Each structure stands twice: as structure tokens, then as C-alpha cells.
Amino acid sequence: QVQLVESGGGLVQAGGSLRLSCAASGIIFNINDMDWYRQAPGKQRELVAHMPQKYADSVKGRFTISRGNAKNTVDLQMNSLKPEDTAVYYCHIGTSRVNYWGQGTQVTVSS
């Protein structure tokens, strides 16, 4: 079975940092097919970052997507966090043939 597992979410004060990680198993994938989405209450799910180096305007200069230190992992380094970054963050692998989502990890940024 295919599994994407996010980790690293939590509660942080505005201006702080978090590093999310997504570990993929049960699938052979191209690293450039992986990306990060987020969804806040009452809002649509939005693309945050896509490998190799593409970002939503709202996070440019603050977030960095990269291959993780462990094999089959992708990280999202989030710096200078703002309350509006509060959301459930999902890692995702999407191709013309497959579409897999992690379970999500909560990121809460207090003001």
C-alpha cells in the first residue's frame, strides 16, 4: 500500500519556525511530483510549495521545500510564521496516473 506520513506540525508563536517532513512508502516516485498543500478552516485547499522550487506568493521567501535527509522524504522548512499560516498541511504526490495524500499535520501559529 501507498502511505504518505507527515510530521513536524505543532503550535508556534508568530515569527517562529517549524520543519515539516513527509515520508513516502509503498511507491516509487519522482521527487518533483511531490508538493505541499494546506487547508485552513473555511478555505479551499491551496498549493503551498511544489518541488523543486516553486512557492505560493504568500510564502515566498519564508518557506523552503527540499528533499529530506532520509530517503523518500520531502521537507518543508517554514520560517517567519504568521497566524495566517495556520492550517492543516498535507503532502501530496500527483501525476497523470496517481494522486496520493498524506493524513495532514496541524500547524497553529499564535499571534
Side-chain angles (χ1 to χ4, degrees):
Q1 80 285 359
V2 176
Q3 191 172 36
L4 304 179
V5 180
E6 302 100 334
S7 62
L11 175 64
V12 65
Q13 291 184 337
S17 298
L18 286 172
R19 190 174 186 90
L20 307 183
S21 183
C22 177
S25 61
I27 183 173
I28 299 173
F29 67 99
N30 188 322
I31 192 69
N32 291 329
D33 292 331
M34 182 167 282
D35 44 39
W36 286 91
Y37 284 74
R38 68 185 181 188
Q39 187 166 25
K43 291 192 172 183
Q44 293 186 353
R45 190 170 297 185
E46 64 173 344
L47 179 65
V48 175
H50 193 303
M51 289 292 289
Q53 288 290 333
K54 197 162 188 175
Y55 304 94
D57 288 341
S58 60
V59 307
K60 270 185 181 175
R62 301 188 298 119
F63 290 14
T64 303
I65 188 171
S66 63
R67 179 186 288 274
N69 291 329
K71 289 185 177 180
N72 301 319
T73 62
V74 171
D75 292 349
L76 184 68
Q77 177 67 46
M78 306 185 294
N79 299 325
S80 302
L81 283 162
K82 305 175 180 179
E84 50 262 47
D85 295 318
T86 295
V88 178
Y89 284 71
Y90 300 89
C91 64
H92 169 256
I93 296 173
T95 72
S96 62
R97 291 177 175 83
V98 301
N99 192 43
Y100 296 114
W101 295 90
Q103 81 286 353
T105 185
Q106 177 70 47
V107 172
T108 302
V109 184
S110 63
S111 60

